[in-house]
Amino acid sequence: LARRRDVMVARYEDLRDPTRREETLMAMARFLGLCVDAERLRCAFDHADRADTHRPDPAAASTANVSFLDVATAVEAAGEALRERVWDMVGGESWERFDYTRDN
């Protein structure tokens, strides 16, 4: 399977490994024909490594005095913000090649 030109095999472990993840994601972008520079990729990982860019942990929220609606609202807001950041980091023209718009 890995020898086929129309298939790329990527290991989840390589995306999680801080020493291999940039190289792995860059290879995936090249395979898909996306133009992503290394600095933009590093910036994306820097954001991903920040705790404030992650969705709230519902298990942790359930032990605090927080309602389900508060958690759901926070998750929705974080998802929208993340979608906007990813769109801007990768560049809209790359997504538009695959018929995506900012709204989907």
Side-chain angles (χ1 to χ4, degrees), residues 38-48 89:
E39 183 59 32
R40 184 173 273 185
L41 195 59
R42 267 186 233 101
C43 181
F45 279 118
D46 287 344
H47 282 285
M89 281 189 272

Side-chain angles (χ1 to χ4, degrees), residues 53-75:
T53 60
H54 294 268
R55 294 180 178 173
D57 180 1
S62 68
T63 61
N65 192 11
V66 177
S67 73
F68 175 77
L69 183 58
D70 291 338
V71 173
T73 302
V75 168

